Amino acid sequence: MSWQTYVDEHLMCEIEGQPGQHLTAAAIIGHDGSVWAKSPKFPELKGNEIANIMKDFDEPGHLAPTGLHLGGEKYMVIQGEPGAVIRGKKGAGGATIKKTGQALVFGIYEEPVTPGQCNLVVERLGDYLADQGL
């Protein structure tokens, strides 16, 4: 299966129990910042955004003072799982980032999709990829 298929069919899929609802954007990006696959609306990441995300996985709390930035958009960092998941909130939406052995799985959402629904979609694929050694 191609990386784009994972994004299209597993991240941008219809939300379970929410007909017609999808994440706003999603991507799978290598730890080095290389884009493996992304949805059309995923923001173009800028400068050291990936480096800061990776540093937060190594040093939980690194992003808290400055916020999580994706494509220049600032998200307030909210409770995640240190070293495994970063969650951000921005207005009526937010983002979830799950770290696997080789990649970062991103999901960005807007209402009516809930933070929990985004977390479930992103973390389920992240766990699967991690189980596959990726």
Side-chain angles (χ1 to χ4, degrees), residues 43-69:
E44 206 58 50
L45 298 179
K46 300 181 181 338
N48 59 354
E49 290 176 346
I50 290 291
N52 282 328
I53 290 166
M54 290 301 294
K55 185 166 183 173
D56 194 81
F57 280 118
D58 292 337
E59 300 171 26
H62 169 73
L63 289 174
T66 58
L68 165 66
H69 290 80

PDB file of all heavy atoms in Angstrom, residues 43-69:
ATOM      1  N   PRO A  43      -1.082  21.977   5.469  1.00  0.00           N
ATOM      2  CA  PRO A  43      -0.252  23.180   5.292  1.00  0.00           C
ATOM      3  C   PRO A  43       1.195  22.856   4.935  1.00  0.00           C
ATOM      4  O   PRO A  43       1.722  21.817   5.320  1.00  0.00           O
ATOM      5  CB  PRO A  43      -0.332  23.863   6.660  1.00  0.00           C
ATOM      6  CG  PRO A  43      -0.693  22.783   7.618  1.00  0.00           C
ATOM      7  CD  PRO A  43      -1.518  21.790   6.850  1.00  0.00           C
ATOM      8  N   GLU A  44       1.815  23.772   4.219  1.00  0.00           N
ATOM      9  CA  GLU A  44       3.233  23.669   3.883  1.00  0.00           C
ATOM     10  C   GLU A  44       4.004  24.009   5.164  1.00  0.00           C
ATOM     11  O   GLU A  44       3.910  25.122   5.663  1.00  0.00           O
ATOM     12  CB  GLU A  44       3.563  24.678   2.776  1.00  0.00           C
ATOM     13  CG  GLU A  44       4.734  24.310   1.916  1.00  0.00           C
ATOM     14  CD  GLU A  44       4.602  22.962   1.217  1.00  0.00           C
ATOM     15  OE1 GLU A  44       3.584  22.686   0.575  1.00  0.00           O
ATOM     16  OE2 GLU A  44       5.561  22.176   1.337  1.00  0.00           O
ATOM     17  N   LEU A  45       4.712  23.033   5.726  1.00  0.00           N
ATOM     18  CA  LEU A  45       5.417  23.276   6.980  1.00  0.00           C
ATOM     19  C   LEU A  45       6.601  24.200   6.743  1.00  0.00           C
ATOM     20  O   LEU A  45       7.245  24.149   5.701  1.00  0.00           O
ATOM     21  CB  LEU A  45       5.862  21.951   7.604  1.00  0.00           C
ATOM     22  CG  LEU A  45       4.712  21.012   7.969  1.00  0.00           C
ATOM     23  CD1 LEU A  45       5.244  19.716   8.560  1.00  0.00           C
ATOM     24  CD2 LEU A  45       3.739  21.656   8.941  1.00  0.00           C
ATOM     25  N   LYS A  46       6.856  25.061   7.708  1.00  0.00           N
ATOM     26  CA  LYS A  46       7.869  26.101   7.555  1.00  0.00           C
ATOM     27  C   LYS A  46       9.064  25.851   8.467  1.00  0.00           C
ATOM     28  O   LYS A  46       8.921  25.280   9.544  1.00  0.00           O
ATOM     29  CB  LYS A  46       7.264  27.463   7.917  1.00  0.00           C
ATOM     30  CG  LYS A  46       6.082  27.856   7.051  1.00  0.00           C
ATOM     31  CD  LYS A  46       5.561  29.213   7.464  1.00  0.00           C
ATOM     32  CE  LYS A  46       4.366  29.716   6.698  1.00  0.00           C
ATOM     33  NZ  LYS A  46       4.084  29.219   5.420  1.00  0.00           N
ATOM     34  N   GLY A  47      10.222  26.320   8.014  1.00  0.00           N
ATOM     35  CA  GLY A  47      11.441  26.382   8.825  1.00  0.00           C
ATOM     36  C   GLY A  47      11.679  25.191   9.716  1.00  0.00           C
ATOM     37  O   GLY A  47      11.808  24.056   9.263  1.00  0.00           O
ATOM     38  N   ASN A  48      11.709  25.460  11.018  1.00  0.00           N
ATOM     39  CA  ASN A  48      12.071  24.420  11.970  1.00  0.00           C
ATOM     40  C   ASN A  48      10.858  23.842  12.694  1.00  0.00           C
ATOM     41  O   ASN A  48      10.985  23.342  13.807  1.00  0.00           O
ATOM     42  CB  ASN A  48      13.109  24.962  12.964  1.00  0.00           C
ATOM     43  CG  ASN A  48      12.582  26.173  13.720  1.00  0.00           C
ATOM     44  OD1 ASN A  48      11.493  26.672  13.437  1.00  0.00           O
ATOM     45  ND2 ASN A  48      13.358  26.651  14.668  1.00  0.00           N
ATOM     46  N   GLU A  49       9.678  23.878  12.076  1.00  0.00           N
ATOM     47  CA  GLU A  49       8.486  23.334  12.736  1.00  0.00           C
ATOM     48  C   GLU A  49       8.641  21.843  13.064  1.00  0.00           C
ATOM     49  O   GLU A  49       8.302  21.417  14.171  1.00  0.00           O
ATOM     50  CB  GLU A  49       7.229  23.591  11.884  1.00  0.00           C
ATOM     51  CG  GLU A  49       6.844  25.061  11.853  1.00  0.00           C
ATOM     52  CD  GLU A  49       5.671  25.398  10.948  1.00  0.00           C
ATOM     53  OE1 GLU A  49       5.281  24.558  10.103  1.00  0.00           O
ATOM     54  OE2 GLU A  49       5.145  26.512  11.083  1.00  0.00           O
ATOM     55  N   ILE A  50       9.157  21.052  12.123  1.00  0.00           N
ATOM     56  CA  ILE A  50       9.365  19.617  12.386  1.00  0.00           C
ATOM     57  C   ILE A  50      10.426  19.425  13.468  1.00  0.00           C
ATOM     58  O   ILE A  50      10.255  18.610  14.376  1.00  0.00           O
ATOM     59  CB  ILE A  50       9.748  18.848  11.093  1.00  0.00           C
ATOM     60  CG1 ILE A  50       8.563  18.768  10.143  1.00  0.00           C
ATOM     61  CG2 ILE A  50      10.268  17.444  11.419  1.00  0.00           C
ATOM     62  CD1 ILE A  50       7.427  17.874  10.604  1.00  0.00           C
ATOM     63  N   ALA A  51      11.506  20.195  13.410  1.00  0.00           N
ATOM     64  CA  ALA A  51      12.568  20.077  14.423  1.00  0.00           C
ATOM     65  C   ALA A  51      12.006  20.375  15.814  1.00  0.00           C
ATOM     66  O   ALA A  51      12.337  19.677  16.788  1.00  0.00           O
ATOM     67  CB  ALA A  51      13.724  21.020  14.097  1.00  0.00           C
ATOM     68  N   ASN A  52      11.147  21.383  15.928  1.00  0.00           N
ATOM     69  CA  ASN A  52      10.551  21.709  17.226  1.00  0.00           C
ATOM     70  C   ASN A  52       9.610  20.604  17.704  1.00  0.00           C
ATOM     71  O   ASN A  52       9.569  20.294  18.890  1.00  0.00           O
ATOM     72  CB  ASN A  52       9.810  23.050  17.158  1.00  0.00           C
ATOM     73  CG  ASN A  52      10.759  24.224  17.221  1.00  0.00           C
ATOM     74  OD1 ASN A  52      11.803  24.160  17.868  1.00  0.00           O
ATOM     75  ND2 ASN A  52      10.412  25.302  16.547  1.00  0.00           N
ATOM     76  N   ILE A  53       8.861  20.012  16.781  1.00  0.00           N
ATOM     77  CA  ILE A  53       7.970  18.901  17.141  1.00  0.00           C
ATOM     78  C   ILE A  53       8.807  17.715  17.624  1.00  0.00           C
ATOM     79  O   ILE A  53       8.510  17.117  18.671  1.00  0.00           O
ATOM     80  CB  ILE A  53       7.078  18.516  15.941  1.00  0.00           C
ATOM     81  CG1 ILE A  53       6.048  19.627  15.684  1.00  0.00           C
ATOM     82  CG2 ILE A  53       6.395  17.165  16.172  1.00  0.00           C
ATOM     83  CD1 ILE A  53       5.334  19.525  14.343  1.00  0.00           C
ATOM     84  N   MET A  54       9.857  17.385  16.892  1.00  0.00           N
ATOM     85  CA  MET A  54      10.722  16.265  17.291  1.00  0.00           C
ATOM     86  C   MET A  54      11.368  16.539  18.658  1.00  0.00           C
ATOM     87  O   MET A  54      11.482  15.641  19.484  1.00  0.00           O
ATOM     88  CB  MET A  54      11.807  16.018  16.234  1.00  0.00           C
ATOM     89  CG  MET A  54      11.279  15.445  14.922  1.00  0.00           C
ATOM     90  SD  MET A  54      10.406  13.869  15.091  1.00  0.00           S
ATOM     91  CE  MET A  54      11.741  12.798  15.631  1.00  0.00           C
ATOM     92  N   LYS A  55      11.764  17.797  18.897  1.00  0.00           N
ATOM     93  CA  LYS A  55      12.375  18.143  20.191  1.00  0.00           C
ATOM     94  C   LYS A  55      11.354  17.953  21.305  1.00  0.00           C
ATOM     95  O   LYS A  55      11.702  17.499  22.403  1.00  0.00           O
ATOM     96  CB  LYS A  55      12.906  19.572  20.172  1.00  0.00           C
ATOM     97  CG  LYS A  55      13.642  19.924  21.444  1.00  0.00           C
ATOM     98  CD  LYS A  55      14.458  21.179  21.320  1.00  0.00           C
ATOM     99  CE  LYS A  55      15.218  21.385  22.629  1.00  0.00           C
ATOM    100  NZ  LYS A  55      16.151  22.481  22.549  1.00  0.00           N
ATOM    101  N   ASP A  56      10.072  18.292  21.051  1.00  0.00           N
ATOM    102  CA  ASP A  56       9.048  18.119  22.079  1.00  0.00           C
ATOM    103  C   ASP A  56       8.835  16.639  22.396  1.00  0.00           C
ATOM    104  O   ASP A  56       8.550  16.298  23.541  1.00  0.00           O
ATOM    105  CB  ASP A  56       7.729  18.772  21.664  1.00  0.00           C
ATOM    106  CG  ASP A  56       6.769  18.903  22.844  1.00  0.00           C
ATOM    107  OD1 ASP A  56       6.931  19.862  23.632  1.00  0.00           O
ATOM    108  OD2 ASP A  56       5.876  18.054  22.987  1.00  0.00           O
ATOM    109  N   PHE A  57       8.974  15.772  21.398  1.00  0.00           N
ATOM    110  CA  PHE A  57       8.856  14.335  21.680  1.00  0.00           C
ATOM    111  C   PHE A  57      10.018  13.879  22.567  1.00  0.00           C
ATOM    112  O   PHE A  57       9.856  13.040  23.433  1.00  0.00           O
ATOM    113  CB  PHE A  57       8.796  13.507  20.393  1.00  0.00           C
ATOM    114  CG  PHE A  57       7.438  13.497  19.750  1.00  0.00           C
ATOM    115  CD1 PHE A  57       7.248  14.008  18.483  1.00  0.00           C
ATOM    116  CD2 PHE A  57       6.330  12.978  20.427  1.00  0.00           C
ATOM    117  CE1 PHE A  57       5.992  13.992  17.887  1.00  0.00           C
ATOM    118  CE2 PHE A  57       5.073  12.966  19.850  1.00  0.00           C
ATOM    119  CZ  PHE A  57       4.900  13.472  18.578  1.00  0.00           C
ATOM    120  N   ASP A  58      11.216  14.453  22.364  1.00  0.00           N
ATOM    121  CA  ASP A  58      12.388  14.102  23.177  1.00  0.00           C
ATOM    122  C   ASP A  58      12.374  14.793  24.530  1.00  0.00           C
ATOM    123  O   ASP A  58      12.861  14.240  25.523  1.00  0.00           O
ATOM    124  CB  ASP A  58      13.681  14.464  22.433  1.00  0.00           C
ATOM    125  CG  ASP A  58      13.898  13.592  21.208  1.00  0.00           C
ATOM    126  OD1 ASP A  58      13.346  12.470  21.162  1.00  0.00           O
ATOM    127  OD2 ASP A  58      14.606  14.032  20.287  1.00  0.00           O
ATOM    128  N   GLU A  59      11.863  16.030  24.556  1.00  0.00           N
ATOM    129  CA  GLU A  59      11.810  16.835  25.786  1.00  0.00           C
ATOM    130  C   GLU A  59      10.385  17.352  25.969  1.00  0.00           C
ATOM    131  O   GLU A  59      10.088  18.500  25.628  1.00  0.00           O
ATOM    132  CB  GLU A  59      12.762  18.032  25.697  1.00  0.00           C
ATOM    133  CG  GLU A  59      14.214  17.685  25.499  1.00  0.00           C
ATOM    134  CD  GLU A  59      15.064  18.919  25.197  1.00  0.00           C
ATOM    135  OE1 GLU A  59      14.679  20.040  25.599  1.00  0.00           O
ATOM    136  OE2 GLU A  59      16.100  18.760  24.544  1.00  0.00           O
ATOM    137  N   PRO A  60       9.462  16.501  26.475  1.00  0.00           N
ATOM    138  CA  PRO A  60       8.068  16.922  26.618  1.00  0.00           C
ATOM    139  C   PRO A  60       7.950  18.257  27.360  1.00  0.00           C
ATOM    140  O   PRO A  60       8.624  18.487  28.353  1.00  0.00           O
ATOM    141  CB  PRO A  60       7.426  15.778  27.400  1.00  0.00           C
ATOM    142  CG  PRO A  60       8.252  14.574  27.009  1.00  0.00           C
ATOM    143  CD  PRO A  60       9.653  15.111  26.890  1.00  0.00           C
ATOM    144  N   GLY A  61       7.133  19.146  26.800  1.00  0.00           N
ATOM    145  CA  GLY A  61       6.955  20.477  27.368  1.00  0.00           C
ATOM    146  C   GLY A  61       7.704  21.550  26.603  1.00  0.00           C
ATOM    147  O   GLY A  61       7.490  22.744  26.819  1.00  0.00           O
ATOM    148  N   HIS A  62       8.584  21.147  25.665  1.00  0.00           N
ATOM    149  CA  HIS A  62       9.370  22.105  24.881  1.00  0.00           C
ATOM    150  C   HIS A  62       8.460  23.097  24.131  1.00  0.00           C
ATOM    151  O   HIS A  62       8.766  24.281  24.056  1.00  0.00           O
ATOM    152  CB  HIS A  62      10.274  21.353  23.891  1.00  0.00           C
ATOM    153  CG  HIS A  62      10.923  22.240  22.873  1.00  0.00           C
ATOM    154  ND1 HIS A  62      11.952  23.098  23.195  1.00  0.00           N
ATOM    155  CD2 HIS A  62      10.686  22.423  21.552  1.00  0.00           C
ATOM    156  CE1 HIS A  62      12.314  23.766  22.114  1.00  0.00           C
ATOM    157  NE2 HIS A  62      11.566  23.371  21.100  1.00  0.00           N
ATOM    158  N   LEU A  63       7.350  22.609  23.561  1.00  0.00           N
ATOM    159  CA  LEU A  63       6.476  23.468  22.765  1.00  0.00           C
ATOM    160  C   LEU A  63       5.489  24.296  23.603  1.00  0.00           C
ATOM    161  O   LEU A  63       4.936  25.271  23.106  1.00  0.00           O
ATOM    162  CB  LEU A  63       5.661  22.628  21.769  1.00  0.00           C
ATOM    163  CG  LEU A  63       6.417  22.029  20.594  1.00  0.00           C
ATOM    164  CD1 LEU A  63       5.497  21.121  19.787  1.00  0.00           C
ATOM    165  CD2 LEU A  63       6.982  23.124  19.694  1.00  0.00           C
ATOM    166  N   ALA A  64       5.275  23.891  24.849  1.00  0.00           N
ATOM    167  CA  ALA A  64       4.234  24.545  25.654  1.00  0.00           C
ATOM    168  C   ALA A  64       4.365  26.076  25.710  1.00  0.00           C
ATOM    169  O   ALA A  64       3.375  26.780  25.515  1.00  0.00           O
ATOM    170  CB  ALA A  64       4.197  23.942  27.053  1.00  0.00           C
ATOM    171  N   PRO A  65       5.555  26.645  25.940  1.00  0.00           N
ATOM    172  CA  PRO A  65       5.642  28.108  26.054  1.00  0.00           C
ATOM    173  C   PRO A  65       5.383  28.844  24.726  1.00  0.00           C
ATOM    174  O   PRO A  65       4.843  29.936  24.735  1.00  0.00           O
ATOM    175  CB  PRO A  65       7.075  28.367  26.519  1.00  0.00           C
ATOM    176  CG  PRO A  65       7.614  27.053  26.972  1.00  0.00           C
ATOM    177  CD  PRO A  65       6.828  25.998  26.256  1.00  0.00           C
ATOM    178  N   THR A  66       5.764  28.249  23.607  1.00  0.00           N
ATOM    179  CA  THR A  66       5.675  28.946  22.320  1.00  0.00           C
ATOM    180  C   THR A  66       4.502  28.483  21.464  1.00  0.00           C
ATOM    181  O   THR A  66       4.117  29.163  20.525  1.00  0.00           O
ATOM    182  CB  THR A  66       6.965  28.726  21.501  1.00  0.00           C
ATOM    183  OG1 THR A  66       7.155  27.312  21.321  1.00  0.00           O
ATOM    184  CG2 THR A  66       8.169  29.309  22.207  1.00  0.00           C
ATOM    185  N   GLY A  67       3.950  27.319  21.776  1.00  0.00           N
ATOM    186  CA  GLY A  67       2.864  26.759  20.976  1.00  0.00           C
ATOM    187  C   GLY A  67       3.388  25.841  19.891  1.00  0.00           C
ATOM    188  O   GLY A  67       4.577  25.818  19.577  1.00  0.00           O
ATOM    189  N   LEU A  68       2.470  25.063  19.347  1.00  0.00           N
ATOM    190  CA  LEU A  68       2.750  24.164  18.226  1.00  0.00           C
ATOM    191  C   LEU A  68       2.455  24.948  16.951  1.00  0.00           C
ATOM    192  O   LEU A  68       1.387  25.544  16.831  1.00  0.00           O
ATOM    193  CB  LEU A  68       1.825  22.942  18.330  1.00  0.00           C
ATOM    194  CG  LEU A  68       1.685  22.047  17.104  1.00  0.00           C
ATOM    195  CD1 LEU A  68       3.003  21.345  16.795  1.00  0.00           C
ATOM    196  CD2 LEU A  68       0.582  21.021  17.328  1.00  0.00           C
ATOM    197  N   HIS A  69       3.396  24.969  16.026  1.00  0.00           N
ATOM    198  CA  HIS A  69       3.191  25.689  14.770  1.00  0.00           C
ATOM    199  C   HIS A  69       3.172  24.706  13.600  1.00  0.00           C
ATOM    200  O   HIS A  69       4.060  23.876  13.477  1.00  0.00           O
ATOM    201  CB  HIS A  69       4.292  26.733  14.555  1.00  0.00           C
ATOM    202  CG  HIS A  69       4.194  27.886  15.502  1.00  0.00           C
ATOM    203  ND1 HIS A  69       4.659  27.829  16.796  1.00  0.00           N
ATOM    204  CD2 HIS A  69       3.651  29.116  15.339  1.00  0.00           C
ATOM    205  CE1 HIS A  69       4.415  28.984  17.388  1.00  0.00           C
ATOM    206  NE2 HIS A  69       3.803  29.782  16.537  1.00  0.00           N
TER     207      HIS A  69
END
